[in-house]
Amino acid sequence: MKEKFAKAVHKMKRKDFLDDFIREKSAEENRLTEEAAELRKKNGKKVGSDIDLRIFQINMRKAEIFKNIAKCKAEIKTLKTEILDLLTDCYALAEKPENKAKIESACYHAFEGKVKILSDKDAGGIMGDCKIVGAIITHDKKKRRTTAKLVKAGAKNSQGKLLQAPEIVVYDYDKKQEDGIYRDETDEFKKKLRFKKQNPAISYLKETYIQKNSLYALSVTANYAVFALWSAIGGFGQAVFSSLQLRFSAVLITLLGLFSITTLKKGQKGGVCDIIPLTAIGISLVAFSCLFAYDILRGILFPLGLLIYGVTAIILRAKFADEEGKNEENTMYFALSTVLGCLFVAVFKTMSSAYFAYWLTAICILGVVAVLSAVGCVLNRGTNKVKIYKYTAIFVATFGFVCFLLGIKLVLGIIFFAVSVIESLLAIFAERENV
């Protein structure tokens, strides 16, 4: 790499010399043109003088300069091709970021900022503008459709036009052949990959949901399952929750739908915007399994609505969500936390007509959630992880404050109010240093 870069530098110095020579000779040509113009003016007044000879000599000198400039331009054109060829080779051989930056800087100097080095990643990888020159057999699924090696970098001009495609060696996943075998390939390999390429929506779903954030959805679904199955098997579900089957379902699904539409192209992949629809699907499946304890015509609205919402939201996110994602929906998170807090008060208040153990269990779980959110706000202050705890604290604070306003038992109401104040302060505490 050092030898090639040294050759490129040597050629760049030669190009710089020729550029300076052209500028010098172009300036001389302009002076001669002006001098000849002045002599022509005098020639009209002094017939028979030596002015014609001097004009002839100037024109001969200009013709010589023109030839020299043309030769220099031709050599510069050749040098540019050679320099670019060497620099793109050097870029592929360079391992350290500082060496790559040095090569990019040399390219910027050599082409006066009009040409930029293009890596395989910048060119879109295997299915982008890269030229495939070889393939390596691999037994590792994670390496499928990825670049094994950048053989030669590419280049594009300042308008984004591709001047030279990066040349790459790719991995070919094939367990039938020996691992590590190399073979020459061409861009025809891309056609084979298109047939094997996974559906983008399926890829999105795997990247989004096969990760630890999905455990939050599983946790919420598990908590709901405890109460839903308890009320169904206990035989008091229809008597206690029949008043919530229509109005509560309509309000909840409408609010969730509005949230998903508003944050469709915003939320970070695998974040709140993706986990809420997954949670809705999990809850709907549990609710379907409890229908035996309810009036089916009324009871089916809640699980069916959540299922339709969850599936629709996930499909829309897979199709329209930004790849990188953004973190600009803080206002929506706050609104969702407070609204869900109010909605859960309606469920909690309704629980008071159920068995005492059922109601007490709900209070205990809520207490655990409050403690976890409080501890999380303190321990994760100033980190991105604090968001889940902060918005959970807002949810608990809203829940407690609304319960206090509704006057749910004096002592319990006072406890709820105290919890509400503490959780609100902790949410503010977490927000101040949140980055």
Side-chain angles (χ1 to χ4, degrees):
M1 193 274 280
K2 290 182 179 179
E3 292 180 3
K4 288 193 174 186
F5 188 71
K7 287 182 182 179
V9 171
H10 177 74
K11 292 181 182 293
M12 286 166 60
K13 288 180 179 178
R14 174 63 179 170
K15 176 184 170 296
D16 290 342
F17 170 78
L18 293 175
D19 285 335
D20 291 338
F21 179 82
I22 289 174
R23 281 191 288 269
E24 181 183 334
K25 292 303 176 183
S26 295
E28 182 182 350
E29 185 181 14
N30 290 335
R31 288 196 300 271
L32 291 172
T33 299
E34 291 175 0
E35 185 180 346
E38 290 295 327
L39 289 173
R40 287 191 181 93
K41 290 179 182 178
K42 294 178 181 180
N43 193 31
K45 300 177 181 179
K46 298 180 180 181
V47 179
S49 65
D50 63 341
I51 292 177
D52 286 339
L53 178 60
R54 289 176 61 188
I55 291 174
F56 175 77
Q57 291 173 339
I58 287 172
N59 287 335
M60 291 294 291
R61 177 61 182 156
K62 285 176 63 179
E64 183 181 352
I65 291 173
F66 180 80
K67 288 180 181 179
N68 289 335
I69 290 176
K71 288 180 181 179
C72 289
K73 287 183 176 179
E75 186 177 350
I76 287 173
K77 186 176 181 180
T78 302
L79 284 171
K80 281 184 175 181
T81 302
E82 293 174 348
I83 290 168
L84 185 60
D85 188 61
L86 287 167
L87 290 180
T88 50
D89 279 341
C90 290
Y91 192 89
L93 294 171
E95 296 179 356
K96 297 180 179 179
E98 53 267 29
N99 290 338
K100 290 183 181 292
K102 189 177 180 180
I103 294 166
E104 288 174 345
S105 178
C107 182
Y108 185 89
H109 171 78
F111 297 94
E112 300 174 345
K114 296 178 181 178
V115 175
K116 182 181 178 182
I117 295 286
L118 195 66
S119 70
D120 56 313
K121 293 179 180 178
D122 296 329
I126 293 181
M127 303 308 293
D129 293 322
C130 293
K131 181 181 178 182
I132 297 175
V133 297
I136 296 175
I137 301 299
T138 180
H139 293 172
D140 187 349
K141 284 186 177 181
K142 294 181 180 179
K143 292 182 178 180
R144 286 187 300 182
R145 294 183 289 277
T146 61
T147 302
K149 180 183 178 182
L150 176 63
V151 178
K152 189 180 187 67
K156 64 178 180 179
N157 62 19
S158 54
Q159 284 76 44
K161 182 181 178 181
L162 187 68
L163 303 177
Q164 178 178 305
E167 296 180 7
I168 58 173
V169 173
V170 300
Y171 284 114
D172 183 14
Y173 176 73
D174 191 345
K175 283 196 171 184
K176 295 180 181 179
Q177 299 187 51
E178 186 178 344
D179 188 30
I181 292 178
Y182 171 85
R183 71 170 186 273
D184 291 331
E185 263 294 351
T186 66
D187 279 347
E188 289 294 315
F189 186 74
K190 293 182 182 180
K191 293 182 180 179
K192 301 175 186 177
L193 285 180
R194 285 193 179 97
F195 290 109
K196 299 178 183 178
K197 192 177 179 183
Q198 196 173 51
N199 186 291
I202 295 175
S203 298
Y204 179 89
L205 293 177
K206 285 184 177 180
E207 294 173 10
T208 303
Y209 295 109
I210 302 180
Q211 42 115 337
K212 63 180 181 181
N213 279 358
S214 296
L215 294 176
Y216 292 118
L218 183 62
S219 176
V220 174
T221 303
N223 278 306
Y224 171 78
V226 170
F227 289 98
L229 293 171
W230 189 352
S231 64
I233 297 171
F236 58 87
Q238 179 65 32
V240 174
F241 297 112
S242 60
S243 61
L244 296 176
Q245 288 176 335
L246 300 179
R247 192 170 299 175
F248 180 82
S249 300
V251 172
L252 177 62
I253 293 165
T254 300
L255 288 174
L256 292 178
L258 289 173
F259 175 82
S260 291
I261 291 171
T262 306
T263 59
L264 186 60
K265 294 186 177 181
K266 292 183 179 180
Q268 190 175 15
K269 186 186 290 184
V272 176
C273 296
D274 290 311
I275 298 304
I276 286 178
L278 181 64
T279 306
I281 292 175
I283 290 175
S284 72
L285 296 178
V286 175
F288 271 119
S289 68
C290 297
L291 280 179
F292 66 89
Y294 295 90
D295 176 358
I296 293 181
L297 292 179
R298 288 170 61 89
I300 200 172
L301 295 177
F302 179 70
L304 184 61
L306 279 183
L307 181 63
I308 293 173
Y309 156 73
V311 172
T312 304
I314 288 175
I315 292 173
L316 292 175
R317 284 281 297 168
K319 188 173 182 180
F320 296 109
D322 290 341
E323 278 297 314
E324 296 181 0
K326 302 175 184 176
N327 296 306
E328 300 175 349
E329 65 275 19
N330 290 344
T331 304
M332 286 302 301
Y333 288 172
F334 178 80
L336 185 65
S337 298
T338 54
V339 170
L340 288 180
C342 294
L343 288 174
F344 271 81
V345 170
V347 177
F348 184 74
K349 188 171 174 56
T350 305
M351 281 184 185
S352 61
S353 61
Y355 301 145
F356 178 74
Y358 187 84
W359 190 65
L360 181 62
T361 303
I363 294 177
C364 292
I365 290 178
L366 183 65
V368 172
V369 171
V371 171
L372 289 176
S373 64
V375 173
C377 285
V378 174
L379 296 181
N380 294 281
R381 187 187 190 199
T383 69
N384 287 327
K385 292 181 180 179
V386 80
K387 286 188 175 182
I388 184 69
Y389 300 104
K390 182 182 72 174
Y391 290 113
T392 303
I394 292 172
F395 162 75
V396 174
T398 305
F399 179 88
F401 187 64
V402 174
C403 282
F404 172 74
L405 292 178
L406 291 176
I408 299 181
K409 297 184 181 181
L410 180 60
V411 177
L412 192 57
I414 294 173
I415 294 174
F416 279 144
F417 181 75
V419 170
S420 176
V421 172
I422 294 171
E423 294 285 332
S424 298
L425 292 174
L426 286 170
I428 295 171
F429 172 81
E431 175 64 23
R432 283 188 176 182
E433 297 293 331
N434 188 23
V435 290

